Amino acid sequence: ATLCHNNVLLAALPGARFPAGFTLPDGFPFEILGHFSEHWDSTCFLASPEISCQAVELDYEGDSMREYWIRLPPCSSERQGAIFAAVYPSHGGDVTTWTSILHNAWKFQALYPQDHVYLLGDANIHLSYLVSHCPGCLCLHCKQTPNDKLIENMLQNSGFFAYNPQIPTHDSNTTVDLIFGTRPPPVGTDVLLEKTGASDHRMVITDIPMQFPAVMSGTIGRFRWAASE
């Protein structure tokens, strides 16, 4: 209901815990694209029919279920497509998973140089530039772990920056649910302050204007992408 109310067409779903053989109920307004399991070790997308019929699964390197890549091709050779990764590195600064994610991002950027690349999900890192706290603050953003510092540098060296406003996304008063991109920020990025279900995370939503070959009667060509748990 929250996704529909906020006109979200694509949502990253980190920690997608569903049993083997799980299927969504008839009439559910989204489809699952990606990985899910009974454990906290996978990620996927919830995609509207308009998106799922256009999305192309990308063959990424590695066998981790903590990342999943799709591409929305452009509507013509003169326009840009978009590449999305649903990501869910493990807690504590998962350097191994982030190394894989950034390697695959580089691979797809080289393969589709015109496309924009976005990383969405529960990043499980604490970036220093997402807070403006007083000197001497000992929170996880201001006093980063060595792994968080390393991953932040890896992301910046790869050209990725978080679009999030300085608003916490978790009950711990930290900002870990992130939307990254390599281009200037999209139209706007917001954190929904109301809770979604029983989650201790807040949903992060961004608007990205783009065109792709889909029949979207009654819309204005504006799409919303969400990173949520």
Side-chain angles (χ1 to χ4, degrees), residues 17-96:
R17 293 195 301 163
F18 300 115
F22 170 82
T23 58
L24 293 170
D26 291 340
F28 194 78
F30 293 89
E31 299 178 27
I32 292 180
L33 304 177
H35 311 297
F36 60 86
S37 75
E38 298 181 8
H39 309 287
W40 297 99
D41 61 355
S42 59
T43 189
C44 66
F45 288 110
L46 286 178
S48 69
E50 299 94 329
I51 296 297
S52 62
C53 71
Q54 297 293 332
V56 178
E57 181 178 8
L58 295 178
D59 184 18
Y60 66 92
E61 294 184 22
D63 57 2
S64 173
M65 294 198 301
R66 292 186 175 274
E67 57 182 301
Y68 181 75
W69 294 81
I70 62 171
R71 180 176 186 248
L72 295 180
C75 61
S76 74
S77 60
E78 298 178 356
R79 297 193 178 274
Q80 298 161 329
I83 294 171
F84 296 92
V87 303
Y88 186 42
S90 59
H91 293 82
D94 186 351
V95 174
T96 299

Side-chain angles (χ1 to χ4, degrees), residues 120-201:
L120 322 173
D122 182 353
N124 276 319
I125 52 173
H126 305 88
L127 301 176
S128 62
Y129 58 85
L130 291 182
V131 297
S132 297
H133 293 169
C134 297
C137 175
L138 298 179
C139 79
L140 292 171
H141 291 278
C142 296
K143 189 176 177 58
Q144 291 175 296
T145 66
N147 279 6
D148 278 359
K149 286 183 180 179
L150 174 60
I151 294 167
E152 181 171 329
N153 287 333
M154 290 165 57
L155 284 158
Q156 290 181 344
N157 290 338
S158 298
F160 282 98
F161 294 88
Y163 294 146
N164 291 55
Q166 292 190 357
I167 300 174
T169 67
H170 188 262
D171 283 353
S172 62
N173 207 36
T174 59
T175 303
V176 293
D177 303 278
L178 306 176
I179 298 178
F180 291 95
T182 58
R183 310 291 174 96
V187 172
T189 302
D190 302 305
V191 177
L192 301 186
L193 298 182
E194 66 269 20
K195 284 200 170 189
T196 302
S199 176
D200 53 359
H201 293 253

